[in-house]
Amino acid sequence: MSLPLVSSAPRPDSTDAFIALEDRYGASNYKPLDVVLARGEGVYVWDVEGRRYLDCLSSYSAVNQGHCHPKILAALAEQAAKLTITSRAFRNDQLPLFYEELCALTRSHKVLPMNSGAEAVETALKVSRKWGYEVKGVPDGQAEIVVCNNNFHGRTLAIVGFSTDQASRHGFGPFAPGFKVVPFGDAEALEHAIGPNTVAFLVEPIQGEGGVIVPPPGYMRKARELCTHHRVVLILDEIQTGLGRTGTLLAEEHEGIEADLTLIGKALSGGFYPVSAVLSNKEVMDVLKPGEHGSTFGGNPLACAVARAAMRVLVEEGMIENAARMGAYLQAGLRSIRSNIVKEIRGRGLMVAVELHAQAGGARRACEALMRRGVLCKETHGNTLRIMPPLIVTQAQIDEALEQFRAVLA
Ligand SMILES: *Cc1c(COP(=O)(O)O)cnc(C)c1O
């Protein structure tokens, strides 16, 4: 069998031609902005027509380190030429180093490597249920997990089953039982929801896809206290907030707490490769025994080498401190824009959102206007613009972006 000769068709050479081809064959589960990107370097990306854009989304925080970081690229190329995958049937010489460095960086005891963020979430749900039955003594099949309204934890069936976003869940049931939804930011509601069979509370420190919703001060600390008091596993989904985005390595540091399970992904590979991980204290992770969970690609040497380099540059190049500094500068700059369409500016570090008034014509329109001005942002929930440049962004580059935000918002 040979491939049909599609190569005889002319290669698309314009934005419109690429879009037409993509729309003809691709599932339409996304509605991207009509820009076709071909190259990236640092905070900038270029489209197929050679136009340059300042990336203010960072692939939802997967490229915190900037596009095509040369040191991560070198690690990827070097490892790809040596050994890419062994499966976990055998050991490899990158995984132990990845474990050690990740545990040292995050002060964790145990790591379970996966690939996508959703897989890390699923892993945490499985592990906490097992811990509930084997350690807490919850009767078999009765474990309950509390989650928050307006959450985003990924796209698998179990996860969309407890989503409160209709577009994410409608038409995909029946769903897994055992989840209870409480309002985000409301510690009292959490306390009421916890019962004798509650094994875990899964929460984002700042809701990302939900529109960069920062909970009231003290919420995370109270949640930590409640979980400790009632023997409930606190699972922090830091897939978007983690690895420097909010100006600290993990967002939990803003309230001086430690989760029992922490989920990271996205920037763990600097955008080169899907790498995620569940970080755990010893007690919870130790319930897993050989054969009870796994992933063919999880923990492969290529992923580990890439993640090691991605962590190293994040720390050694001061990206976390830069996120704190530039985040404050960006937020101050946005607040200085006199606009009658802006309802609220919120965020932490370089995780920032601008919510527009409902009458403003929608955030999509603003994103399209920004795109024409060389700045790429993505709307969320109709009226909110998310602004999350790579953590290497400079003050001059933020000024460059602010000039365009001013033009579009004022
Ligand atoms: C992106 C994201 C996920 C899902 O990650 P995938 O790699 O897309 O599966 C889960 N939780 C949060 C908070 C995220 O932002």
Side-chain angles (χ1 to χ4, degrees), residues 27 95 103 165 202 264 274 297-298 331 340 346 352 375 378:
L95 184 61
C103 283
D165 172 43
L202 167 65
I264 54 173
F297 276 84
Q331 286 201 47
N340 49 18
R346 54 177 181 260
V352 177
V375 173
K378 185 70 168 71

Tab-separated table of all heavy atoms in Angstrom, residues 27 95 103 165 202 264 274 297-298 331 340 346 352 375 378:
chain	number	residue	atom	x	y	z
A	27	ALA	N	-11.496	17.856	12.436
A	27	ALA	CA	-12.678	17.965	13.292
A	27	ALA	C	-12.785	19.423	13.719
A	27	ALA	O	-11.777	20.102	13.906
A	27	ALA	CB	-12.516	17.068	14.513
A	95	LEU	N	14.937	9.009	33.964
A	95	LEU	CA	13.807	9.079	34.902
A	95	LEU	C	14.244	9.339	36.350
A	95	LEU	O	13.669	10.215	37.012
A	95	LEU	CB	12.967	7.796	34.782
A	95	LEU	CG	11.690	7.734	35.612
A	95	LEU	CD1	10.721	8.848	35.230
A	95	LEU	CD2	10.994	6.371	35.434
A	103	CYS	N	11.593	16.625	42.604
A	103	CYS	CA	11.287	16.577	44.042
A	103	CYS	C	12.038	17.661	44.800
A	103	CYS	O	11.484	18.298	45.696
A	103	CYS	CB	11.604	15.200	44.629
A	103	CYS	SG	10.351	13.986	44.205
A	165	ASP	N	-19.438	23.514	32.954
A	165	ASP	CA	-19.545	24.226	31.681
A	165	ASP	C	-20.342	23.344	30.718
A	165	ASP	O	-19.922	22.239	30.381
A	165	ASP	CB	-18.130	24.501	31.148
A	165	ASP	CG	-18.148	25.073	29.744
A	165	ASP	OD1	-18.993	25.956	29.486
A	165	ASP	OD2	-17.338	24.629	28.906
A	202	LEU	N	-10.494	18.677	44.960
A	202	LEU	CA	-9.704	19.031	43.773
A	202	LEU	C	-9.999	20.473	43.404
A	202	LEU	O	-11.164	20.831	43.180
A	202	LEU	CB	-10.086	18.104	42.609
A	202	LEU	CG	-9.597	18.502	41.203
A	202	LEU	CD1	-8.072	18.466	41.101
A	202	LEU	CD2	-10.231	17.588	40.143
A	264	ILE	N	1.099	19.090	37.842
A	264	ILE	CA	1.759	20.016	36.930
A	264	ILE	C	1.811	19.402	35.533
A	264	ILE	O	1.711	18.185	35.373
A	264	ILE	CB	3.183	20.406	37.408
A	264	ILE	CG1	4.040	19.167	37.671
A	264	ILE	CG2	3.128	21.282	38.657
A	264	ILE	CD1	5.495	19.481	37.972
A	274	PRO	N	4.494	16.702	25.366
A	274	PRO	CA	3.548	16.609	26.483
A	274	PRO	C	4.162	15.869	27.672
A	274	PRO	O	4.499	14.698	27.571
A	274	PRO	CB	2.371	15.810	25.914
A	274	PRO	CG	2.747	15.397	24.539
A	274	PRO	CD	4.171	15.769	24.283
A	297	PHE	N	3.907	6.114	27.406
A	297	PHE	CA	4.872	7.197	27.204
A	297	PHE	C	5.297	7.887	28.496
A	297	PHE	O	6.272	8.627	28.507
A	297	PHE	CB	4.296	8.233	26.231
A	297	PHE	CG	4.495	7.875	24.784
A	297	PHE	CD1	3.614	7.021	24.130
A	297	PHE	CD2	5.570	8.389	24.074
A	297	PHE	CE1	3.797	6.687	22.795
A	297	PHE	CE2	5.757	8.064	22.743
A	297	PHE	CZ	4.876	7.211	22.096
A	298	GLY	N	4.549	7.698	29.571
A	298	GLY	CA	4.853	8.393	30.826
A	298	GLY	C	6.246	8.047	31.323
A	298	GLY	O	6.593	6.879	31.443
A	331	GLN	N	-0.002	44.565	34.953
A	331	GLN	CA	-1.294	44.893	35.567
A	331	GLN	C	-1.424	46.399	35.806
A	331	GLN	O	-2.487	46.977	35.569
A	331	GLN	CB	-1.469	44.126	36.881
A	331	GLN	CG	-1.772	42.656	36.639
A	331	GLN	CD	-2.446	42.013	37.848
A	331	GLN	OE1	-3.376	42.553	38.416
A	331	GLN	NE2	-1.966	40.858	38.241
A	340	ASN	N	-13.929	52.713	28.693
A	340	ASN	CA	-15.267	52.473	29.252
A	340	ASN	C	-15.817	51.106	28.871
A	340	ASN	O	-16.974	50.808	29.116
A	340	ASN	CB	-16.240	53.613	28.896
A	340	ASN	CG	-16.187	53.925	27.413
A	340	ASN	OD1	-15.703	53.091	26.626
A	340	ASN	ND2	-16.666	55.090	27.016
A	346	ARG	N	-7.791	41.601	36.551
A	346	ARG	CA	-7.436	40.774	37.707
A	346	ARG	C	-6.330	39.805	37.319
A	346	ARG	O	-6.047	39.615	36.138
A	346	ARG	CB	-8.669	40.027	38.225
A	346	ARG	CG	-9.367	39.229	37.153
A	346	ARG	CD	-10.556	38.433	37.664
A	346	ARG	NE	-11.131	37.701	36.563
A	346	ARG	CZ	-12.225	38.071	35.885
A	346	ARG	NH1	-12.905	39.145	36.226
A	346	ARG	NH2	-12.645	37.346	34.859
A	352	VAL	N	-3.058	37.043	33.820
A	352	VAL	CA	-3.831	38.277	33.925
A	352	VAL	C	-5.046	38.193	33.014
A	352	VAL	O	-4.990	37.599	31.934
A	352	VAL	CB	-2.939	39.487	33.526
A	352	VAL	CG1	-3.728	40.778	33.542
A	352	VAL	CG2	-1.719	39.589	34.448
A	375	VAL	N	-0.574	41.341	18.251
A	375	VAL	CA	-0.576	40.777	19.603
A	375	VAL	C	-1.580	39.627	19.636
A	375	VAL	O	-2.737	39.798	19.232
A	375	VAL	CB	-0.970	41.840	20.659
A	375	VAL	CG1	-1.135	41.203	22.036
A	375	VAL	CG2	0.073	42.953	20.709
A	378	LYS	N	-6.249	35.214	23.687
A	378	LYS	CA	-7.422	34.386	23.425
A	378	LYS	C	-8.521	34.757	24.413
A	378	LYS	O	-8.248	34.960	25.589
A	378	LYS	CB	-7.029	32.909	23.573
A	378	LYS	CG	-8.133	31.926	23.213
A	378	LYS	CD	-8.398	31.921	21.710
A	378	LYS	CE	-9.289	30.756	21.292
A	378	LYS	NZ	-10.667	30.925	21.733
